[in-house]
Structures are given as structure tokens and as C-alpha cells.
Amino acid sequence: MADLEAVLDEAGLTNPRVREFVKEYAELTGAEHVEVVNASDDARLLEEAVAAGELQRAGEGRYYSRSYYKDTARSEERTIVATNDEKDKGVYNNWRPASEMKPMLHDRMRGASEGKTMYVIPYLMSPPGNELAPWAAGVELTDTRTVVLHMIRMSRVGVQFVNELEDPDSFVRAVHVTGDLENLGQGTPDDQRYFVTVADERTILHFGSSYGGNALLGKIAHGLRQGAYDGWASKKFLAEQYMLIGIHDKETGKTYHVCGGFPSASGKTNLAMMAAPDALGERYHVSFYGDDIAWLWVDEETGRLMGMNPEYGVFGVAKDTNERTNPNALSSIGEGSQAIFTNVAYNPTTGEVWWEGKTPKPPTDVHGWLDWTGAPLADRKSDDSANWAHPNSRFTTTLDNVPNIAPDYDDAAGVPIDAIIFGGRTRDREPLIRAITDLAEGVYDGLTLGAEATFAAEGVDGQLRYDPMSNRPFMAYGEGDYARHYLDVVGAAKEQPIFAHVNWFQKDPDDGHFLWPGYRDNLRPLLWLLQLKNGEVKGRRTAVGILPTEDELDLEGVEIAPADLERILTIDKDRWQQEMGFREEHLSQFDRMPEEIWEAHRRVAADLENEQ
């Protein structure tokens, strides 16, 4: 491409290693044009996408996107971590040798962008100046304009983030080639899609999708898989699929910071964006840092465990997002927000969007409405109950649009972490909250985090789908090594965070109603946890952690039956002893599991035996 050097010069892209990277893949993919992107290009790119039919307007300052119907979610079975050392193989990371995967991906990418523009997206997955910024710079090459627009919302984009690197070679090389989506054999033995993180070469190669979770390479592939590997290789930090919030006590002036992991459908985004309940709102304010990723490290000067959200936006699941479950999310995607909706129901005449759970019932007048595939809803038969929106439909918006965004979310320093919580959706066994004050037991609890999935179909009633630290799809190296690294990083902090396990989803075994109201009231057990850490309450010790007593929880304004409250603050010994057998089987899969984790397991099992 004769004019490539001139294009890079005009864009002000001066990093020689980035220029070499762009040239290599422009030649490999056969892209017709190359365009370097900055965040300031957003408005122009939006107009170009609308003119090209890639986006449609969804009211004032909002946009609608529809993906290919077989390309609507992350594809775990096609997602691989590749390195040059087989010792990096874990149970969950689908490890393959780099020598096998890189040529395979290059073969698929060769000539696949002919006639297209290759967009060059220099990005940063951290606040500028952050201690972890040396691991946060990357360049994504993509042949899809809508991917660029999502990346501008989800990361900090601009040439300055790669031009000013101390080591010009220290950026993540990320390449996304969409491929011919209609002829990739999705879900068949001939599936051509591969989503590969070559972790020890800091290279990400994704082929065969334009869905965000497969195509926004700064978000999951860099923010989680590559970040996790870099944190381990450097012995410096953890990259976790954690939400991060601040809880400000207006009475004392103190702000606490809580992060934590929740498997899918366990309430993570709603918790991260929650407002304080009305009865507590005059005293407490909850601020949002992020709902999906946190990087954690120990500040060498203060000795505190610190955290930050490497993302710049929210890529949220639309389903069940409404004024009751998450009013802050709805505000963040209002008119003028420049939000992008993907695979929701859409009315091109009015610009309206809708998804299941947005309102109790769908619009009564279906004239003009299209479902997520683009089919007119007016043409459906009366007994057709198929979803209007795809269950994994999404909204993408920037952090600045979130009403309760923390004022210091973009500060270089990050924030000190007071508590690390885990939470899975379980109908029994897990109480409302149980606190853990021992580091090894806290890590052990995170490694055995699980949620109810399709266990009944698998024939083992009560067995959870384990999702260690909610990081199962993003493990970049062996789970035993991961546990060791987690113990080492958090263990180096002078002031240890308190750990806890929460569960908003216990149900009455007779009529199935939820025992805890959830949503905004979930602040209450978190306040108790912080009081426990401060020595203001003592709780009740059990084999699996410290539980609140009924009088310690602030329940002002909560309507809950005494029997329901008693149940969610009680341990079911028989269920827990069954759980310990499942946990032992789960942990036994992993090589090099630290002895501290096994000691914690044996200690909890023994304490359960002695539990009255």
C-alpha cells in the first residue's frame, strides 16, 4: 500500500513499532484503506455508519445495531489462550501452542479484508498515569466500523497512548478480522471462528465475529485474559471480572470501596449501579466505578490494596434492565447519550427500542416494530411467543453517562479496596451474606464460587456450575498458579480487605418467592460487612463464615417476614456438607493448587462436622 506511510504520518502516529505492526497486518489482510482513529472521530464515524446502513438512529443521539443472527454472543468453545510453554495449560483456558494457533489465524486472515478499510485503534485500558498503565496500552486493528464506535465508548482512544510509551514495543497487538459471517459454519464441525490470545507474546488474534465480546479486543481479551497473564508474569497485579463501587457515609465523611465477582445472571451490574434505598439515602451514597473488570495491585508506598476499572464504558445486558432494577442504567442510555443498542427490538419509524423486562409488557401497537432479527412483529402469528430482543442484547455507553459515576473514576491513583465479595445465584445453601476474615479462606471461597445452571439436567441435584472468582471464561494460565498469585498479591497488602459471599436469590422452598427484596436493599448487608471490618459489630460465627445477627442488619423500611429473615441468616448444615464434597472434586482438577487452599478446605469441612 503505497500511501500507508503518508496515512500514518498525517494521523500523527509516530511509534515505529506500531507502524510496523499496522503495515504487517495491512499486507496480510489485504485491506484497501487504512484509517487511524482518535476519540474525536466519533461523531464523523457515527454519521458514516448511519449513511452506510450499519447503524440506525434510535431517537435523538442514540443508535441501533443488528448483528448477524448466528453472531450474538461470546463463543467460549472457540476462545483459546495460546503460549509457547505448555505449563500455562489450565482446565478452563483451552490452551494450545502458539506455534499452532498463530499460523492458523494468519491463514484465515490472509486477504480477508480485501476492499475494506482497516481501522487502527490506539487505546489505553487504564486511567492515564496509573501504576499499571505500562501494561494497559494496545492497538486494535479491525475491519468493522461499528467495532470502532464501541471501542471509543469502552476504552480511551488516541494516538497519544502509544506514541508516548517509554518502551515503544510495550503495547498489546490486537487484530480483529470479521470474515464472511454467513459462511463460517458457526456451531458445526467446520466452524472457522477462532478467538486467540497469544498471551506470552501479548498478541490477540480474533477471526469470525463482529459481536462485541469477540470483537472489542481491549475489553475482554486485553482487559481480562491478557491482563491476567501480564499480572502473573510481572508478579505485579490481578486482572479480574469484578465490579467496583464506592460507598460514601455522609455522616462520617468516609468512603469505602468494594469490588467483587459474580457469575452471569447473579446481579453484578445492578449491584454496581445501585442507588441507596430511600430509608438510607440521606446518609449513604453509592458511586459507580465499573461493572465488569477491575485490576488490583498493592501500592508500594502505602501498602494498600488498590483497584481501578480499566474500561471507559459499560457494555451492559439489556434484558430485565428497567426503572426498578437499574434506573441509573436507563439514565445512562437516554437521549443524547450517544449510546449504541445491539439486537434489541426496534421501531425504525419512531426510533424506539424495547427488550424483555424493559416494561412489564411489550408495546401494544406492534405496527412498525421489528424483532432483533429484523422481522416485522406485526407479521407474527398470535401464538408466537419468541423474544422480541435477543436474550444477550446489549447497550453500550460511556462511564460519563452513568448518573452515579464516581467523581474520581479516572484518577491515576486508583482507590483503596476495603472488601472483596463473591456472589452466585443459588436458591438455597448460601445465606444473605457471610464474611470471611482469613485470606486463604477468602481465596478458597472465590475459587469455589458457583451459580445454579443446568445441574438438574446433568443428574446431580444441587451441584453448582463453578466459576472461580467469576473468571472461568477468562483464565489465562493454570488455576493453581492463579490461586498462588492471588494469595501473593493480596497477601502483600498491609491492611487486608475483608472477604464475603453474598446471595440475593434464596427462595422459599414451598411457594418459590424470593426471601430477600434485593436491588437497592442489597446495600444493607454490605454496610454490615464494613461495620464488621471496623469492629462495630461482631456477627455470629459459623463454619463457613460470620453471619449478621438480626439486630445488626439495618432493616429500616424493609418489609420481610420474620421466618424469611431467619432462613437467610441460617446455615443448612446438610446442604453444606454435600457442597464440600462437590468442592473437593472441583479443586482436585487443578494442578499446583497451593496447600493453603487445601488447608482452608479441610478447616471448613472439620468446622462443619462440629457445627451444632
Side-chain angles (χ1 to χ4, degrees):
M1 187 178 296
D3 63 346
L4 178 59
E5 297 294 335
V7 168
L8 301 182
D9 287 344
E10 185 177 353
L13 185 59
T14 59
N15 183 317
R17 296 292 178 263
V18 174
R19 292 171 71 109
E20 291 168 9
F21 165 62
V22 173
K23 182 178 181 181
E24 175 188 357
Y25 281 93
E27 291 176 353
L28 178 75
T29 65
E32 184 173 343
H33 304 287
V34 171
E35 180 179 330
V36 181
V37 175
N38 291 285
S40 58
D41 295 316
D42 186 60
R44 173 180 59 81
L45 291 167
L46 284 168
E47 291 304 312
E48 290 180 3
V50 169
E54 299 158 357
L55 291 178
Q56 298 183 63
R57 299 190 192 279
E60 184 64 33
R62 304 194 306 178
Y63 299 87
Y64 171 68
S65 170
R66 184 184 301 127
S67 65
Y68 179 58
Y69 76 99
K70 292 183 179 179
D71 184 34
T72 56
R74 234 177 332 105
S75 305
E76 300 301 347
E77 73 283 0
R78 312 300 298 174
T79 302
I80 287 164
V81 172
T83 68
N84 294 281
D85 188 342
E86 193 169 356
K87 289 201 295 290
D88 295 334
K89 183 177 183 178
V91 173
Y92 296 135
N93 68 353
N94 293 338
W95 182 88
R96 302 270 278 277
S99 59
E100 173 190 338
M101 297 312 298
K102 282 181 64 181
M104 183 188 294
L105 267 294
H106 285 168
D107 284 348
R108 282 163 167 73
M109 291 177 172
R110 188 167 287 109
S113 297
E114 286 183 8
K116 293 185 175 183
T117 295
M118 171 184 280
Y119 296 95
V120 180
I121 314 169
Y123 66 84
L124 187 69
M125 295 298 292
S126 80
N130 181 265
E131 191 166 335
L132 303 184
W135 292 274
V139 176
E140 175 170 356
L141 311 179
T142 179
D143 57 11
T144 301
R145 185 161 28 210
T146 51
V147 171
V148 181
L149 291 163
H150 284 280
M151 278 292 290
I152 287 173
R153 283 148 184 75
M154 295 304 301
S155 63
R156 299 154 180 87
V157 172
V159 293
Q160 68 272 24
F161 299 125
V162 293
N163 284 344
E164 299 163 7
L165 295 175
E166 188 173 324
D167 173 2
D169 205 32
S170 65
F171 64 96
V172 168
R173 291 158 166 80
V175 186
H176 163 245
V177 174
T178 302
D180 181 3
L181 292 176
E182 297 185 16
N183 295 288
L184 293 177
Q186 293 94 335
T188 73
D190 298 321
D191 202 327
Q192 296 297 302
R193 301 170 301 155
Y194 276 102
F195 312 110
V196 180
T197 299
V198 188
D200 56 351
E201 298 183 22
R202 308 194 76 224
T203 297
I204 301 164
L205 303 172
H206 281 207
F207 175 83
S209 172
S210 62
Y211 167 72
N214 298 324
L216 308 182
L217 304 190
K219 177 179 168 53
I220 286 176
H222 184 170
L224 286 170
R225 294 186 192 92
Q226 186 64 58
Y229 195 92
D230 287 345
W232 175 56
S234 65
K235 307 304 177 192
K236 176 76 176 174
F237 65 100
L238 298 164
E240 303 292 328
Q241 194 192 15
Y242 286 178
M243 62 98 209
L244 176 59
I245 61 173
I247 300 174
H248 179 66
D249 184 338
K250 301 172 191 176
E251 191 173 289
T252 65
K254 173 79 173 168
T255 299
Y256 302 92
H257 297 94
V258 179
C259 68
F262 295 71
S264 295
S266 294
K268 181 175 62 169
T269 297
N270 289 340
L271 181 69
M273 286 186 161
M274 73 177 167
D278 289 339
L280 304 180
E282 289 190 11
R283 178 168 178 180
Y284 298 102
H285 174 74
V286 181
S287 53
F288 176 86
Y289 288 88
D291 73 324
D292 204 38
I293 306 178
W295 286 10
L296 308 178
W297 73 99
V298 173
D299 183 277
E300 293 179 3
E301 290 186 13
T302 66
R304 289 296 306 271
L305 182 69
M306 305 296 289
M308 61 87 173
N309 173 19
E311 299 185 290
Y312 199 54
V314 178
F315 183 61
V317 175
K319 186 176 185 293
D320 292 330
T321 300
N322 57 52
E323 285 290 354
R324 176 170 172 260
T325 62
N326 200 332
N328 283 326
L330 283 189
S331 295
S332 74
I333 53 179
E335 291 205 346
S337 63
Q338 312 304 314
I340 300 173
F341 300 94
T342 305
N343 293 342
V344 298
Y346 173 64
N347 189 321
T349 304
T350 65
E352 294 173 279
V353 292
W354 190 86
W355 53 83
E356 276 65 26
K358 184 173 188 282
T359 54
K361 293 182 179 179
T364 52
D365 182 2
V366 299
H367 180 74
W369 280 94
L370 307 176
D371 70 13
W372 71 271
T373 69
L377 283 155
D379 293 349
R380 283 191 178 186
K381 295 179 179 178
S382 59
D383 60 347
D384 189 340
S385 60
N387 287 336
W388 284 29
H390 190 277
N392 194 40
S393 57
R394 296 279 176 161
F395 60 83
T396 310
T397 192
T398 61
L399 293 181
D400 285 326
N401 283 329
V402 178
N404 65 327
I405 187 65
D408 57 348
Y409 84 90
D410 207 25
D411 285 5
V415 296
I417 301 299
D418 297 288
I420 299 174
I421 63 175
F422 305 111
R425 177 186 281 265
T426 55
R427 69 186 187 277
D428 64 9
R429 159 187 23 199
E430 281 291 359
L432 178 65
I433 185 168
R434 51 186 179 85
I436 301 167
T437 56
D438 177 80
L439 171 62
E441 283 191 28
V443 177
Y444 161 72
D445 194 77
L447 292 170
T448 52
L449 171 63
E452 290 172 347
T454 56
F455 56 83
E458 293 160 11
V460 186
D461 181 43
Q463 186 165 7
L464 305 179
R465 180 186 187 271
Y466 288 114
D467 188 349
M469 304 283 186
S470 81
N471 221 27
R472 175 173 174 153
F474 312 110
M475 288 286 183
Y477 55 100
E479 290 81 2
D481 295 330
Y482 169 84
R484 176 77 270 155
H485 181 51
Y486 201 110
L487 288 166
D488 291 345
V489 170
V490 179
K494 291 178 182 176
E495 181 182 332
Q496 287 290 293
I498 192 168
F499 286 83
H501 198 114
V502 299
N503 178 29
W504 322 130
F505 301 102
Q506 268 213 63
K507 289 185 174 182
D508 183 281
D510 296 323
D511 65 15
H513 77 269
F514 286 109
L515 303 181
W516 177 250
Y519 304 118
R520 295 167 67 181
D521 287 312
N522 294 339
L523 177 62
R524 299 172 189 272
L526 299 187
L527 292 174
W528 171 84
L529 179 67
L530 296 169
Q531 290 172 330
L532 182 70
K533 183 175 189 288
N534 292 340
E536 298 164 16
V537 295
K538 293 185 177 180
R540 178 173 66 86
R541 290 195 173 271
T542 74
V544 294
I546 304 170
L547 273 61
T549 61
E550 291 186 16
D551 61 308
E552 288 174 345
L553 273 179
D554 187 337
L555 296 175
E556 181 189 353
V558 177
E559 291 186 15
I560 185 169
D564 290 352
L565 182 60
E566 181 182 1
R567 184 184 288 272
I568 63 176
L569 298 181
T570 303
I571 296 298
D572 182 335
K573 179 178 176 178
D574 291 342
R575 199 63 151 151
W576 268 97
Q577 288 185 309
Q578 178 196 36
E579 172 67 15
M580 297 306 289
F582 294 145
R583 286 183 170 194
E584 184 159 351
E585 186 179 342
H586 164 67
L587 291 174
S588 295
Q589 304 174 88
F590 307 130
D591 294 334
R592 298 185 295 280
M593 186 58 65
E595 181 59 24
E596 297 101 305
I597 301 301
W598 284 115
E599 287 174 1
H601 175 76
R602 291 190 291 266
R603 190 161 59 242
V604 172
D607 288 348
L608 271 170
E609 282 291 331
N610 298 324
E611 186 100 9
Q612 296 300 312

